[in-house]
Amino acid sequence: MSWAQFLDPNEFSWALFLQPDTLRMYAWGMWTTFYMLIGLLCFGGIAGFVLALMLTGRSVVLQRIASAFTYCVRGTPLLIQLYLIYYGVAQLEWVQERWDAVWPWTYFKTPLFCAMLAFSINHAGYLAEILAGGIRATPAGEIEAGYAMGMSRLKVWYRIILPGAMRRILPPYSNEVMQMMHGTSLASTIPSLMDITGVSSRIYSDYYLPFEAYLFAAILYLLITFFLMSLFRLAERRFTAYLRPRAH
């Protein structure tokens, strides 16, 4: 197929994607995607930080609990985790008894809450291992220097260990954020949840335009990816400048 045929309006119905209603639907889909991404990064980030401290702590019991959690999260597909929370939790009898009256079980009736919970749990599992690796990679000499200067164990953690670990994990963390941003497209498998992919599925079912709908969604995901990667590149240039070779 030539480019002329590809751009031929008689071959593809691009005019539909310039209509206000269609653009409004995709704008809402982008907002839903960003909302889920910000939510999972916040809640999953907090949980992942706590799990990383458990993985690198002195308590063997806490280490094994956190390790078992991350193993289960990383060993099962994200889609299965999403289905277990949205469809599976509703089948539990003790949840159904509290379904309409007791917090927080009432939220499990909300598709967006279930999707964000599944994404946050998945992000926490991966972030915990990434951050734990950054903490373990802290040079022993830096820690000894902190103690030699009279710092307490807590001060060594938040002045030496954590700042260094955050800088070291920035490149793999940016990849994890990209993976989770793309993973939010799985939310479209939940009925009535309209993210970018969900809007494309709606247009496909209404107008029978699968190629145009999903290509438009791919373009939006590419734009979001470019925006996020630009932010991470600026952050890496700022916080990991000491790792770049010095010009002589």
Side-chain angles (χ1 to χ4, degrees):
M1 178 181 292
S2 64
W3 281 106
Q5 290 175 316
F6 183 80
L7 298 175
D8 187 358
N10 296 323
E11 293 289 337
F12 298 98
S13 302
W14 296 113
L16 174 66
F17 299 91
L18 299 178
Q19 295 181 4
D21 291 341
T22 304
L23 294 176
R24 194 177 301 113
M25 289 176 62
Y26 273 106
W28 178 257
M30 290 186 66
W31 162 249
T32 303
T33 298
F34 270 114
Y35 187 81
M36 288 190 294
L37 180 63
I38 294 173
L40 73 90
L41 292 180
C42 292
F43 298 111
I46 295 173
F49 178 77
V50 174
L51 288 168
L53 295 182
M54 293 170 62
L55 287 170
T56 56
R58 296 179 177 180
S59 174
V60 178
V61 175
L62 294 180
Q63 287 181 13
R64 291 183 177 179
I65 293 174
S67 180
F69 175 84
T70 59
Y71 179 82
C72 292
V73 167
R74 297 189 300 158
T76 55
L78 176 57
L79 182 60
I80 299 299
Q81 298 169 14
L82 181 61
Y83 281 167
L84 284 174
I85 292 177
Y86 183 70
Y87 295 107
V89 173
Q91 303 301 316
L92 300 177
E93 183 177 351
W94 58 277
V95 173
Q96 293 178 352
E97 294 175 353
R98 300 164 175 81
W99 192 256
D100 296 319
V102 181
W103 182 92
W105 309 115
T106 54
Y107 286 101
F108 281 91
K109 296 188 295 184
T110 307
L112 183 60
F113 172 82
C114 293
M116 289 182 60
L117 179 61
F119 296 148
S120 298
I121 290 174
N122 186 272
H123 180 61
Y126 282 91
L127 177 60
E129 292 291 347
I130 293 174
L131 183 55
I135 292 174
R136 296 189 185 104
T138 304
E142 295 182 4
I143 300 175
E144 293 174 359
Y147 287 133
M149 293 182 63
M151 293 184 181
S152 63
R153 177 175 173 81
L154 180 62
K155 199 168 187 179
V156 167
W157 265 93
Y158 76 82
R159 291 291 298 274
I160 297 176
I161 298 177
L162 289 180
M166 293 296 184
R167 291 187 178 95
R168 282 187 290 273
I169 71 169
L170 196 54
Y173 177 69
S174 64
N175 292 332
E176 166 62 13
V177 173
M178 294 301 105
Q179 293 276 1
M180 291 308 305
M181 190 273 291
H182 296 150
T184 58
S185 62
L186 296 176
S188 61
T189 59
I190 298 179
S192 75
L193 192 53
M194 289 290 102
D195 66 327
I196 295 176
T197 308
V199 171
S200 299
S201 299
R202 173 69 63 83
I203 291 177
Y204 168 36
S205 62
D206 291 346
Y207 299 99
Y208 300 101
L209 299 172
F211 184 82
E212 295 92 329
Y214 290 114
L215 180 60
F216 196 79
I219 293 173
L220 294 180
Y221 279 118
L222 283 173
L223 292 176
I224 296 174
T225 301
F226 177 78
F227 172 72
L228 293 176
M229 290 304 297
S230 299
L231 293 180
F232 277 111
R233 290 292 177 267
L234 290 175
E236 289 178 20
R237 203 172 293 120
R238 168 67 176 82
F239 295 107
T240 62
Y242 67 98
L243 296 176
R244 293 198 299 269
R246 295 185 180 180
H248 296 286

